[in-house]
Every structure is written in structure tokens, then in C-alpha cells.
Amino acid sequence: MTKTNDVRKYSLRMPKGWKPPFPSYTSEFDSDKTEIAMALFGLQFNIADRKKAVKAILDLKILVQNTQGCDYIDLAECIQDNTGKSQVVLTSYWLDGDKLSSLFVNKTFTQLWEQYADSSQPFGLYREVFNIPLSRYEIVHSHQDHLVGASHIRDSVSEEIDTHAYWGSMRDRIPDSSINRFDAEGAIEVVSQEKNRIVVAANHNLAIIRSDQNMNDSKGEERDEYYQDVYPTLVKGMQFLRDEGEEVNCYDCRFMSFLDDNGNSTDHTFGYAYFKSLEDLEGWSEHHPTHKAIFNSFKQYIPKHIATIGSRFGHEVSILPKENQFAEYINCAPNTGLLNRLNR
């Protein structure tokens, strides 16, 4: 991770003498890397059109994957978003944001994008694009071998860290939190709009969290207890953010499963959510009963199975300057993604 600022304006929230109840690790990036670009490409559809949408997203994946400069791609599916529709989503990571920008003017890409944008297609189309300063970013894993999202392009992995498993540790892991409170400024605003297409930018200091649960290698009692005791609380929390997120300033939440190369669902899930600010994300995490239930279930589950655990958990959090983001929605249902809290 990017080095924390030497001059600290705001204190750590770590309790004095803190000893974490289980180990965690962070992905590290060399000092010459200051930013990661992340672009999500999504198709929104009625479930009857899933086959067509999956074929389209796999074609898009091949195109993006063959573009020089894309460092990592994954595919995922949301069975039901906040509009009642389904989504398949391609998430791409780029260590060179200029190469991502060049994708958007690549003739092959623009032709395919406009083909998908035609209103005769059985799906809506969107892209959500972010340049993430590493000084405004944190990523944590339950195990050193756990690779998901941006950890696939890391330079190294840390030894055990102590800044985790207490309230406020998420903020403590973000380097610039030592000098910046990341207060929200402004609102989601329309950049441009024409017919079936709308481009928006969210408020300054938008907070994004991508939190994953990989059960592909879990077995026996460990697996059974997860699906009996942990998973139901996780689903309940994700549904709250999806359906009632306005209560905690969550703009949108998609609970998704990763897909394999053939478009089949795996046993690896993640929640992807936009909050107006880091303070709002923290408020839900620390105080709302839906997340407290998630936190407490994991806190009991992981130490119990830590010696032989096959499951893997982690998350990445980004705090976005307004100028580092945009999102385009074409033929999508009203309230999709960041449109859900437009001008609110």
C-alpha cells in the first residue's frame, strides 16, 4: 500500500494494546505506482434474456482482455438489482489509466459499445469508471494467498497487520486518512443526457466497497456453518443496502457471484456498494444492526475454523475525488446504479 503520511492530523482509532482476534494482510504496491484505474461494464436484463447477456459480456471480455494495458478482469452476476432486474458485470483493473482511456476510443470497442447501445438489444448497458489514488485506497485479506480484484496486480503482500477487526480500522488503513476526513461534497449530477443515454458523476469523496467471500475451497463443518450462520446475515445486510440504502446514504448495492470463463456461477460472492462518504459507510458498518450481525457472525466463525480454514475473505475500499469518476447508463431501468440517488 501507499505509505501513510508522516504528518498525522487525525488519530488512529486502534485501541491501546490492540491484539487482533485473527490474522489479516494487505496487498502492497511499489512506490512508483500512485493510482489504479477500475472500469465496470454491465449489462442489465430480464432473467429470460440471461443467455444473450452472458454471451455479450463474454464477447466484451475478449475485446477488453485483448486490449494492451488491461491488467486484470473478472466477471460477476447479480441475480436481482435494486430495480428487480439481473446484471452481468465485467470489472477491469488498469495500472495505467491512460491505456483505459485509449480503450474508449478504440474503433473495435466503440463499434461493439454502440451495437450494444441499440435500443433493440434485450438489455441495458452501463460503464462506471474510476481512477483511484492509492493514497485513498485500502485492501485487506484474510490470507496472504487470497487473490481477488486489485490484489491480482499487487507487487507484494504484507505480513500480518494489526489495523483490522476494530471499528475504525477501515479508515485507519487508508493512507490519506491521517490528514483528510474525506467529507462528502456535492451530489450526483448529470454530465450529459440524450434520449436513452445519461452520463453522471457522483459527489466528491464517494466511497466504494467491494467485499468478497470465497467458499470454493471450504468443506465439511466449516462450509455448513458458513451457510447456516453467516451467509443469511450477509444476504440480509446486502438486501437492506439494496432496498433501503437511502437510510444510510448508500446509493446502490449489488450482491454478486463471480462467474467462470464460461459464464457459470461460482461459490465466490461479493457485495459491491456505493456510499455518499466514508463516514456513511462507517456508520452503517459500526451502528446498523444488519452489519453488526454480519461482523459478529464472522468474528465467531473465523477464529473457530482458522487452523484449517479453506474459505477466504477480504475487501477493497476506495474514496473517489469527483474529477476521477464518471458513469454512463444506456437503456437501463430508472434508478440503476448511481442513477438511484441522482440529485439527492
Side-chain angles (χ1 to χ4, degrees), residues 283-307:
W284 173 68
S285 300
E286 186 170 351
H287 302 297
H288 199 274
T290 55
H291 186 267
K292 289 170 77 173
I294 296 170
F295 184 83
N296 289 332
S297 65
F298 273 105
K299 202 171 181 179
Q300 294 175 29
Y301 171 79
I302 293 176
K304 183 176 180 180
H305 299 284
I306 194 64

Side-chain angles (χ1 to χ4, degrees), residues 129 145 151 155 169 281 288:
V129 183
D145 64 358
S151 64
D155 293 299
S169 59
L281 171 54
H288 199 274

Side-chain angles (χ1 to χ4, degrees), residues 38-40 126-130 254 272 274 326-327 329 337-338:
M38 179 174 71
L40 283 73
Y126 68 80
R127 52 180 160 176
E128 297 166 336
V129 183
F130 310 97
R254 305 161 195 153
Y272 184 88
Y274 296 119
F326 80 89
Y329 301 91
L338 291 172

